[in-house]
Amino acid sequence: MNEPETYTYENRSRLDQVIDGLADRKDKPMLLTWTANEHESWSYGDVGEQVRALAGGLCKHISRGEAVVLLGADRPPWVIAALAIIRAGGVVTPLDVQLPDDTLAHVLRDSGASWVFTTSNHLARVRNSAPEVRIVLLDAEVQDENGWRTLADSEADLPENCADDRAALFYTSGTTGPPKGVPLSHKNIEFQLVTVAESGITRESDHVLLPLPLHHVYPFVIGMLAPVWLGLTLVIPYALTGPQLMRAIRDGQVNVIIGVPRLYAALFEGILSKASRSGPIPAALFRFVLRLSRLARVHFGLSLGKKLLSPLHRQLGRQLRVLACGGAALDEALAWNLEALGWQVAVGYGLTETAPLLTIDPPGKIRPDTVGRPVDGVLLRIDRHAVAEVGLRGR
């Protein structure tokens, strides 16, 4: 067990302070996104101004602590809306675009949301599921009366959110019944962001690839809010296909990926497949070098992958350093293979209810047969007499 360290939370939300300070970073890139043919850069200054204006308009229409739904593609307007909802005193409620219509209707009723930010391709579904809600389009043209920009009011006074106020509501499916909402406070999220900042996963000026849907707590908090908290650059791929991910990693100069085991398994299988297509001799040489690098890493703690497999790193970008993994257990063999290829793997374990991290193994300290040590401030107790029971205490 880790004894909780002394950490003093301010009564006012530090998320507010971070959001209010976005524009102070001015021209530093905050979001790099891709279309089919080109990429687009959004600076901290641009995003900060738009978040401030949207929050100013939105706070005139919603009550403090009111759920506001986000349903759409993870693009810059989605990120802007999420930050604006939190800053306006609302409770951002991100939903999976693949929810069945009956489940969507249930969540809209259960959350009590009267405002929904969505895109035009989901407009009819939202109207049919909840005819009474106010709909704001994230993909509208500037002049569209239903667009998110029409709410802007940069002169409005913003509320001061408290650390114990609700900030987000995530719907998760249990073993029985419809999805249930899990509320997280500003303080819950702040604790996670401090944990990530102290973990060593990222460095100053890193570019972080976010290839996961933001309706889950792990990519929302660890993948999106943590880099923003640290002033890093978020890279959002055009699509989650192999070629588009490689394009974003290479062209976006990605240093850190926030992913799940399935993503890394696909990455590794793609590398093996490409090596196999290079011909019998190059393929055999690749497998030999990979085994050699893995033996050096497992038994002697040496990381030789970037030197021994330099052609691979030239293709993906030698700047790629850390593969952070959560959401499910990472296979031990896969973890060692990724390390053998020359990357550092970081793993963590958590729950939606814990916002999410409970344990972490930071880069360079991977123990692939574990999910890491409890983070500072969290006490864990495993009941070895139960089939599967973990007791925990945190903030």
Side-chain angles (χ1 to χ4, degrees):
M1 292 187 179
N2 283 11
E3 289 299 328
E5 66 175 10
T6 301
Y7 188 85
T8 303
Y9 288 91
E10 300 177 15
N11 184 50
R12 182 189 173 192
S13 166
R14 286 181 64 189
L15 279 178
D16 281 7
Q17 299 171 42
V18 170
I19 294 171
D20 289 345
L22 293 177
D24 295 340
R25 296 191 175 111
K26 299 181 181 179
D27 295 332
K28 181 173 182 178
M30 176 175 167
L31 301 171
L32 295 179
T33 64
W34 271 258
T35 64
N37 301 312
E38 57 187 16
H39 79 274
E40 187 175 23
S41 178
W42 297 60
S43 71
Y44 269 91
D46 290 339
V47 172
E49 290 176 3
Q50 295 191 60
V51 168
R52 173 66 178 81
L54 180 56
L58 187 59
C59 70
K60 296 179 178 179
H61 299 282
I62 65 170
S63 303
R64 294 282 296 277
E66 179 181 339
V68 180
V69 164
L70 264 175
L71 180 74
D74 303 334
R75 309 303 294 171
W78 195 104
V79 176
I80 290 169
L83 296 174
I85 292 166
I86 294 172
R87 188 61 190 89
V91 180
V92 61
T93 308
L95 301 183
D96 185 354
V97 295
Q98 297 182 350
L99 284 178
D101 289 346
D102 59 340
T103 305
L104 176 61
H106 160 75
V107 170
L108 291 174
R109 289 193 306 270
D110 185 74
S111 67
S114 58
W115 285 71
V116 177
F117 285 75
T118 190
T119 49
S120 53
N121 56 327
H122 298 292
L123 180 60
R125 293 184 63 213
V126 174
R127 281 179 173 165
N128 292 335
S129 299
E132 71 283 0
V133 301
R134 169 72 184 273
I135 297 174
V136 181
L137 292 179
L138 295 168
D139 58 347
E141 299 295 334
V142 174
Q143 68 274 10
D144 193 314
E145 64 179 12
N146 294 319
W148 59 279
R149 292 179 181 87
T150 61
L151 283 173
D153 185 350
S154 58
E155 302 301 322
D157 292 330
L158 297 180
E160 283 197 6
N161 296 306
C162 297
D164 290 323
D165 289 344
R166 288 186 176 183
L169 182 64
F170 292 92
Y171 275 83
T172 62
S173 298
T175 54
T176 59
K180 298 174 178 61
V182 177
L184 299 177
S185 70
H186 285 250
K187 183 167 66 175
N188 293 150
I189 294 174
E190 177 190 331
F191 177 79
Q192 294 290 311
L193 302 182
V194 171
T195 297
V196 174
E198 295 175 347
S199 70
I201 291 175
T202 62
R203 298 174 183 170
E204 188 177 355
S205 301
D206 271 352
H207 288 202
V208 178
L209 182 71
L210 184 54
L212 304 176
L214 292 171
H215 63 270
H216 291 300
V217 66
Y218 165 52
F220 187 92
V221 175
I222 308 302
M224 183 187 77
L225 290 183
V228 172
W229 174 278
L230 294 168
L232 310 180
T233 299
L234 272 172
V235 178
I236 303 176
Y238 174 62
L240 301 184
T241 62
Q244 290 298 335
L245 289 174
M246 295 304 102
R247 174 191 180 200
I249 292 171
R250 182 182 61 252
D251 296 348
Q253 293 291 295
V254 168
N255 310 97
V256 178
I257 300 177
I258 305 295
V260 293
R262 186 169 60 178
L263 173 72
Y264 297 128
L267 173 65
F268 183 66
E269 289 300 323
I271 291 171
L272 290 183
S273 177
K274 187 170 183 178
S276 298
R277 294 195 303 270
S278 63
I281 295 177
L285 179 61
F286 177 84
R287 290 192 296 269
F288 171 77
V289 172
L290 180 62
R291 284 196 298 269
L292 179 63
S293 181
R294 178 170 167 165
L295 286 171
R297 182 68 186 89
V298 173
H299 296 291
F300 302 102
L302 301 175
S303 183
L304 305 178
K306 287 207 171 183
K307 292 182 178 179
L308 296 178
L309 298 165
S310 57
L312 169 67
H313 292 279
R314 282 198 299 270
Q315 293 174 17
L316 290 178
R318 296 190 62 84
Q319 79 288 333
L320 180 58
R321 185 180 74 255
V322 175
L323 309 182
C325 187
L330 181 64
D331 179 75
E332 182 178 355
L334 175 59
W336 281 126
N337 281 327
L338 295 172
E339 289 268 337
L341 288 171
W343 297 306
Q344 295 180 344
V345 176
V347 298
Y349 165 77
L351 305 166
T352 301
E353 293 82 353
T354 58
L357 281 179
L358 289 170
T359 69
I360 190 170
D361 258 349
K365 299 181 180 180
I366 184 71
R367 296 169 299 153
D369 58 338
T370 78
V371 291
R373 294 181 172 85
V375 302
D376 288 336
V378 170
L379 296 176
L380 288 179
R381 176 177 57 83
I382 299 175
D383 187 344
R384 301 185 185 279
H385 300 290
V387 176
E389 182 174 322
V390 177
L392 60 96
R393 188 180 77 199
R395 300 186 186 278

